[in-house]
Amino acid sequence: MAASKPVEPQSGSGLPRWQLALLVGTPIVLGVGAVYLWNRSRTKQRKGTGERKTPEGSASPVQGQDGAARTNREEENMSPLDRAQAAKNKGNKYFKAGKYDKAIQCYTEAIALCPKEQKTDLSTFYQNRAAAYEQQLKWTEVVQDCSQAVEMNPRYVKALFRRAKALEKLDNKKECLEDVTAVCILEAFQNQQSMLLADKVLKQLGKEKAKEKYKNREPMMPSPQFIKSYFSSFTDDIISQPQQKGEKKDEDKDKEGEAAEITESSGYLKAKQYMDEENYDKIISECTKEIESGGRYTAEALLLRATFYLLIGNATAAQPDLDQVINMQEANVKLRANALIKRGSMYMQQQQPLQSTQDFNMAAEIDSHNPDVYHHRGQLKILLDQVDEAVGDFDECIRLRPDSALAQAQKCFALYRQAYTGNNPSQVQTAMDGFEDVIRRFPKCAEGYALYAQALTDQQQFGKADKMYDKCIELEPDNATTYVHKGLLQLQWKQDLDLGLELISKAIEIDNKCDFAYETMGTIEVQRGNLDKAIEMFNKAINLAKSEMEMSHLYSLCDAAYAQTEVARKYGLKPPTL
């Protein structure tokens, strides 16, 4: 889809990507556009979903003395600890009956009676009182009592999680995240409830930080390879076609002198010349000259300027230009359709699928024979998990342009993902055969090899996948993303960390604006236990992000890594590393 960068199909791992910055000690594998974990069976076992609502019973976090023998003693003959336990047990009965004020009184009595050196028991009484306060929605009191419990028993999961929930209610997301991160690690990521809270808080933090950062970000032109890859996804686009020397409009062909003057003074034609020369930084300013002068290429200049605004991540500036082109009834229909594709893609990046779908449908209505419309709408349908409709769009693109290698390859990948997630071996094989046919018919299409490599990796045909990535590099040696994918493959295939990092470092050397490379490097550094280095890599990726949504995701990864550093500092909790 035409967004700020070519859209890559997402992997089917089902894991939130923040978790990758925490869940460590297992090899990483390749996912197109994402990194996910190998051998998920480790995390499928013993996943708890029950909520922690009730207070502690007679058992403390660490089992204490046998309480059965003392139940028949007279209270006056009990030890202080026995009397405290009796008060707690009485409080538990009130709690279960929904009499929370009385339960709080009993837990308070237990706290007062309990000898200070009995820290494990005392932590239980505080945690139980916090549970009663939680039922009364007294979040500050919950935090205070849970903090007392954690101070006495730093790895007390129930108290940590209860405090995390209360901190969320108090809108203290940073400390909430630290607590729930500690819980996730202590539970080895086996409890869905704590993982969902972590995911929720990380998304909220990411959105908040990205919104502020994105408003004040410095627009940055991506690498020439990125820009060329972007424009290569369009085949019926007037503005992306190379400028012909001495190009003139039809009505000017018999006015050579006038045409020469137009070519010299036209900001748009100058911008096209800069495009041919890969001098991309000057394009927006030249288009602006054309627009402000009311030149004959105003529509083209608006669309070209909007396109480069999208490429540098300035959707706010791009939208008015796109709106204007779309509403120009007298403009070439190809320009209007292209503007609709790009605005639709922009809406999808902004997580507005309804508006995105409307724009693509309008583009199909006004320019029904434009293969670009169906190609990019097909990618939208994949993102919306509407695979059958995506395949239909790819088929229409191929009908209109049989030599569209990209559409052929992406159709194969859509069919493959459908078969793979549906666990249909015969259809998987049919899709794999389709990839073989695509690379045979279109041997110069790097995307075909890349998508085939992803499918081969899913099928654990690592050697062949590696060869496909080699072919991609041969065809596009300046495409940094391929080096990242190949590096990740080495980690899954051979557990060769050094070679994987070498290839990802090569990607950064080729394109120091490749945010995917920094993101991946950061994820690996987390798994190696190098949290400070990981945070540095995530911050570099954040500064390169081209959309607020992408930036939000990267902040989530960065915050997850930072939370882990705080948990390590406070509680000494360090998951195993690679």
Side-chain angles (χ1 to χ4, degrees), residues 46 64 78 120 156 175 178 190 202 228 241 254 265 274 282 341 398 400 420 491 520 524 526 541 556 559 568:
R46 304 186 311 279
M78 287 182 178
T120 302
Y156 195 170
E175 291 186 21
E178 290 172 14
Q190 301 302 308
L202 279 165
K228 286 186 284 187
Q241 300 306 314
D254 59 343
S265 62
Y274 285 137
K282 296 183 178 181
I341 293 170
I398 293 163
L400 292 167
Y420 181 67
L491 296 179
T520 306
I524 293 172
V526 168
S556 294
D559 286 340

Side-chain angles (χ1 to χ4, degrees), residues 281-301:
D281 288 321
K282 296 183 178 181
I283 289 175
I284 289 175
S285 61
E286 291 300 330
C287 287
T288 300
K289 291 176 184 177
E290 179 78 20
I291 295 162
E292 290 179 348
S293 68
R296 67 180 66 196
Y297 297 110
T298 295
E300 289 88 343

Side-chain angles (χ1 to χ4, degrees), residues 154-166:
R155 300 193 177 194
Y156 195 170
V157 169
K158 189 173 284 191
L160 283 165
F161 188 66
R162 181 157 277 122
R163 186 170 69 178
K165 292 187 291 181

